[in-house]
Every structure is written in structure tokens, then in C-alpha cells.
Amino acid sequence: GDSVTQMEGPVTLSEEAFLTINCTYTATGYPSLFWYVQYPGEGLQLLLKATKADDKGSNKGFEATYRKETTSFHLEKGSVQVSDSAVYFCALSDRGSSNTGKLIFGQGTTLQVKP
Amino acid sequence: DARVTQTPRHKVTEMGQEVTMRCQPILGHNTVFWYRQTMMQGLELLAYFRNRAPLDDSGMPKDRFSAEMPDATLATLKIQPSEPRDSAVYFCASGLLNWPNMPQHFGDGTRLSIL
């Protein structure tokens, strides 16, 4: 079945460091890909998305490019801030034959940014 | 911005009691999802609805959990009887099935503790 694999955390960085969180997926169809962020005590918020190969999603300085050839959707940010400390989830939605809109989530990666 | 609203935000009760969690999806969204989040299992999809009809509840323990949408503005998740292992954060999410853009919008969750 469809699945999403993220790099294990926690990831600890100093402020202004470069961030990469790896995400790879397996899907039988042609999925849409998403990154969600969860701040402490809150629900998940959509961070960015991409719906076809080579699309780049971007928001708040974060970027991710849909790479069909490597089945990847790595999250990057050039300079992290303390306020970026959160849990990040990679997810896919595969239309398939049922077109349910279900999201398949990775296990989440905790990012901690230190001043 | 429109938001998914969940009530209550916190619930502490004793084992064996009935628990009802409520969700108001974003107006116009036609798909509603219930998730459970724990440290051990991560995010688990419990059930989801399309146009108020249940599509899949295979993620729920059938003997004690039930999910309904009495109308388009209210989704409920009930546990009866509750058990300590049900302690978790329960999230509701809603979305508009509009391939390929099908992001889900999450509420802030109900934090449930069963003593």
C-alpha cells in the first residue's frame, strides 16, 4: 500500500542553520504531496503542497520539490528560527481508484531550534 | 480564516464513562476525518465521511467507538465505555474533495485522559 517515510528525529539545529527533513514515498498512483507542521498543543497546519512532478511548494521560507524520479519531497529552509521548533509531517494523497482524499502521513520529525 | 472547531479541548474522566467529542467542519467542506494521535502510534485515521455518509471506519475499535454526522455542521465521535488506553489527542479535519488539491484542515484537538 501507499506509505510515507520521514527521517527520524529529533533534529536539533542552531538558529540560522540550514534545515533539511527528508521524506520519501511509495504510491501506486500519482499522488499530491504535503508538508504539515504541528506546534505544541495545536493541530496540524498545512505548510505547503505540490500536486505534480517538479512542482515546488513554498511557504514561510520553507520549500519542497516534488521529485517523481526519486519519489521524494524533502523539506528545506535556508535559515531556521527558534519559532520553527515544531513537529513536521510529510503526507501524500493518492487519488487511486477510490478518490477518497485520505492522507497517508509519515511518522513526524521533531525540530528543535536553539538560540 | 475559517477554522475547524473541536469541543471540548480537554476531557478527563474515569474508565467506563461515555465520552463524546464534537467537531464543526469548515462550511462547504464535504469530507470529514477523525484521527487519533499518541506518542507510540503517531497519527491514526479512525474514520471519515463524505457528504455526511461514512466511507470507512476500519481504523476504529468497533465495539466501543462510534462516529456520526447528524448534519453538515456537526461530526461526533463517541467512546462507550472508555478505557485508559483510549487516552490520546483526537483530531477532526475537514476538506473539500477537489483533486488534485485536497489539503485537510485540522482542529486543535480534544485531549482525552481516561483514569
Side-chain angles (χ1 to χ4, degrees), chain A residues 12-26:
Chain A
T12 303
L13 296 174
S14 298
E15 206 164 22
E16 299 184 2
F18 185 87
L19 168 71
T20 299
I21 300 178
N22 290 339
C23 171
T24 57
Y25 67 90
T26 58

Side-chain angles (χ1 to χ4, degrees), chain A residues 6-14 16-24 35 61-65 72-80 88 109-113:
Chain A
Q6 294 180 231
M7 61 186 289
E8 288 201 18
V11 174
T12 303
L13 296 174
S14 298
E16 299 184 2
F18 185 87
L19 168 71
T20 299
I21 300 178
N22 290 339
C23 171
T24 57
W35 277 101
F62 291 89
E63 293 182 339
T65 301
S72 65
F73 192 55
H74 304 321
L75 182 68
E76 298 182 335
K77 186 175 185 183
S79 176
V80 294
Y88 292 82
T109 301
T110 299
L111 170 66
Q112 185 178 31
V113 181

Side-chain angles (χ1 to χ4, degrees), chain A residues 11-57:
Chain A
V11 174
T12 303
L13 296 174
S14 298
E15 206 164 22
E16 299 184 2
F18 185 87
L19 168 71
T20 299
I21 300 178
N22 290 339
C23 171
T24 57
Y25 67 90
T26 58
T28 53
Y30 202 158
S32 291
L33 301 174
F34 306 87
W35 277 101
Y36 281 81
V37 59
Q38 184 179 27
Y39 299 102
E42 298 183 10
L44 280 70
Q45 302 174 25
L46 179 65
L47 182 59
L48 52 85
K49 67 180 188 292
T51 60
K52 60 182 187 296
D54 300 325
D55 264 3
K56 178 185 285 188

Side-chain angles (χ1 to χ4, degrees), chain B residues 72-83:
Chain B
T73 64
L74 177 64
T76 62
L77 179 66
K78 291 185 180 180
I79 308 174
Q80 171 61 26
S82 58
E83 298 181 2

